[in-house]
Amino acid sequence: MVDAIVDAAIRVLAARGWSDFTTNEVAEVAGVSVGSLYQYFPDKLALAEVIRQRHLSAVLDAISPPAGAPQAVSLEQRVAQLVTSVIVLHSENHALHRILVDGVPLLARANYGDFEEAYRRAYRTVIEFASGREGDAGDEVAAWVLAAAVEGAVHAAVRSGQLDSPLLKVELAALVLGYLRSRKSEAGSDL
């Protein structure tokens, strides 16, 4: 029942936007009573937070190397996988992503710190993959910069309706590769 409610909430939120998003309509679309909905979700903000958590979990999956992927992939292949996965994830429901980014008020999320830590760790893995070494002092900041660049570009593309542009993937991959190669060459010149 919870999954049916959340799936209905996703459809309603994407179609109606935050200001017209109601628990009554979610219950109707899910085929449950409002009372049943309130057993699991005290208000529409709680529903939106579950939707956001699903999205954040999908983001972590998208930026992590695919399970069973060959270990010997090139930097270009790893970056292409990262960029493609993030764009595909955000392409699934443009309206919902715009609303989650710009429309839904943020809750004081107790577990958001866990997501942020996993998010930085995933990008740090990309940084370490590119450099071929672990534990560089600047890797944590570099991971934050890379994550902010990818996230910012993709969210800006969502907002402006440019996520489907074939050039977005090319330009974003070039940005990421340029940054990673620049860090690697700077590290090499310090040796």
Side-chain angles (χ1 to χ4, degrees):
M1 182 183 303
V2 171
D3 285 339
I5 292 169
V6 174
D7 291 342
I10 289 169
R11 289 192 305 274
V12 172
L13 183 59
R16 300 276 187 211
W18 177 249
S19 60
D20 294 327
F21 177 64
T22 67
T23 53
N24 287 338
E25 187 173 0
V26 170
E28 183 180 323
V29 170
V32 301
S33 71
V34 174
S36 293
L37 182 145
Y38 284 133
Q39 285 180 327
Y40 301 101
F41 304 99
D43 53 30
K44 72 180 197 173
L45 199 53
L47 272 168
E49 186 55 26
V50 169
I51 294 167
R52 187 188 323 266
Q53 289 304 316
R54 279 190 179 185
H55 174 68
L56 296 178
S57 179
V59 166
L60 290 177
D61 289 344
I63 62 177
S64 300
Q71 296 296 327
V73 297
S74 69
L75 179 59
E76 292 79 7
Q77 290 168 319
R78 177 67 179 99
V79 168
Q81 176 270 322
L82 170 76
V83 168
T84 300
S85 296
V86 171
I87 289 173
V88 166
L89 170 68
H90 287 82
S91 295
E92 290 173 0
N93 194 333
H94 294 283
L96 179 64
H97 293 308
R98 268 191 230 111
I99 294 162
L100 288 174
V101 169
D102 294 328
V104 177
L106 298 176
L107 285 175
R109 298 178 298 256
N111 62 347
Y112 197 68
D114 294 340
F115 166 77
E116 284 291 323
E117 184 179 323
Y119 188 65
R120 280 191 309 274
R121 191 172 42 249
Y123 273 99
R124 186 175 175 132
T125 301
V126 174
I127 297 290
E128 291 171 350
F129 178 85
S131 69
R133 64 185 188 293
E134 292 183 30
D136 184 87
D139 285 354
E140 191 67 30
V141 172
W144 178 83
V145 168
L146 183 59
V150 171
E151 179 181 324
V154 170
H155 285 176
V158 167
R159 285 185 187 107
S160 66
Q162 297 297 313
L163 199 59
D164 293 333
S165 168
L167 291 177
L168 176 64
K169 188 188 300 185
V170 172
E171 292 297 326
L172 188 53
L175 176 83
V176 172
L177 281 169
Y179 179 68
L180 293 172
R181 287 177 176 147
S182 167
R183 288 193 80 254
K184 188 172 184 171
S185 68
E186 286 175 15
S189 66
D190 291 343
L191 297 176

